[in-house]
Amino acid sequence: MMDVRLLRPDDSSAVSGVILQCLHEINSRDYSEEIIARMCAYFSPRRIEQLAQERQMFVAAEKETVVGTVSRDGNKVFTMFVQPRMIGRGVGRRLMQHIEDLAAQDGYEYMETGASITAHGFYHRLGYVDVRTTETEFGLNYILRKPLRGRALQQSLPEG
Ligand SMILES: CC(C)(COP(=O)(O)OP(=O)(O)OC[C@H]1O[C@@H](n2cnc3c(N)ncnc32)[C@H](O)[C@@H]1OP(=O)(O)O)[C@@H](O)C(=O)NCCC(=O)NCCS
């Protein structure tokens, strides 16, 4: 059983741990050691606490163990990471569905994400389309969007 819930103050170390593990084991295939080290230095537990003040941060938890995280600021997606041993089991899709539903309920017409090289194909699979690329201090980033129109309506329709 997996729950998606808001980040609690005592989750920040676990979330930082999941992100650092992803960066070392997964993203390091696509980015230089220097960029990985910069990202690892950025995503400290303290930074997670700060980010949680600025955005809505969520965790996917299995029996109280954090197995993934994502955050949103309105219709913008940030910090999407899944524990490496849980990759490919639907955790990422579940987290994205959660924040897309919230953005649709808030009336946004589209969702926007900045994707790593590593996650680019994942977002395509979820229906996102490329808008542009950017160079950031963390390397190449793809900006993608997905329409949300009709989603809030679908959710409010009675079943059957
Ligand atoms: C990218 C990431 C978040 C995906 O999470 P996940 O839990 O493995 O994804 P899911 O299992 O929910 O996959 C959903 C669908 O996307 C597909 N998919 C997942 N990653 C993919 C990839 N890199 N390329 C192409 N398709 C991918 C899955 O096969 C699945 O397809 P299906 O519906 O046909 O079964 C995860 O691999 C990760 O944390 N990567 C490292 C960190 C990272 O790069 N984060 C993004 C920063 S922008």
Side-chain angles (χ1 to χ4, degrees):
M1 270 297 284
M2 192 183 68
D3 284 331
V4 174
R5 58 165 173 78
L6 276 168
L7 177 126
R8 297 190 302 238
D10 62 344
D11 289 323
S12 55
S13 289
V15 167
S16 169
V18 166
I19 297 175
L20 265 54
Q21 217 180 327
C22 262
L23 292 169
H24 285 302
E25 294 180 25
I26 313 293
N27 300 91
S28 58
R29 298 171 194 162
D30 300 312
Y31 291 90
S32 68
E33 261 180 51
E34 189 195 336
I35 287 177
I36 295 294
R38 207 177 301 154
M39 287 199 256
C40 286
Y42 181 81
F43 286 112
S44 64
R46 178 83 191 100
R47 182 82 59 172
I48 300 300
E49 284 165 29
Q50 285 169 353
L51 291 174
Q53 307 294 317
E54 296 164 20
R55 307 168 189 161
Q56 238 181 350
M57 286 195 86
F58 296 92
V59 298
E62 209 181 46
K63 293 185 193 154
E64 287 301 303
T65 300
V66 172
V67 294
T69 188
V70 74
S71 56
R72 76 154 184 146
D73 182 0
N75 63 341
K76 304 264 169 34
V77 184
F78 298 94
T79 49
M80 169 84 239
F81 289 91
V82 171
Q83 225 280 330
R85 74 176 165 80
M86 294 295 287
I87 279 175
R89 297 203 212 170
V91 178
R93 183 189 285 279
R94 176 89 186 275
L95 283 163
M96 286 304 299
Q97 246 161 17
H98 191 79
I99 60 170
E100 286 168 6
D101 287 348
L102 292 173
Q105 283 163 25
D106 287 349
Y108 289 101
E109 297 207 341
Y110 65 88
M111 205 74 189
E112 183 171 300
T113 189
S116 62
I117 298 167
T118 322
H120 196 196
F122 164 71
Y123 286 112
H124 283 161
R125 188 82 191 127
L126 265 52
Y128 284 74
V129 294
D130 289 302
V131 175
R132 63 180 186 278
T133 58
T134 55
E135 266 302 330
T136 71
E137 59 173 323
F138 298 137
L140 181 68
N141 218 250
Y142 298 90
I143 306 298
L144 300 100
R145 284 184 184 172
K146 174 180 178 174
L148 296 174
R149 215 168 300 144
R151 200 166 168 125
L153 181 65
Q154 275 168 22
Q155 285 162 28
S156 62
L157 285 176
E159 288 188 22

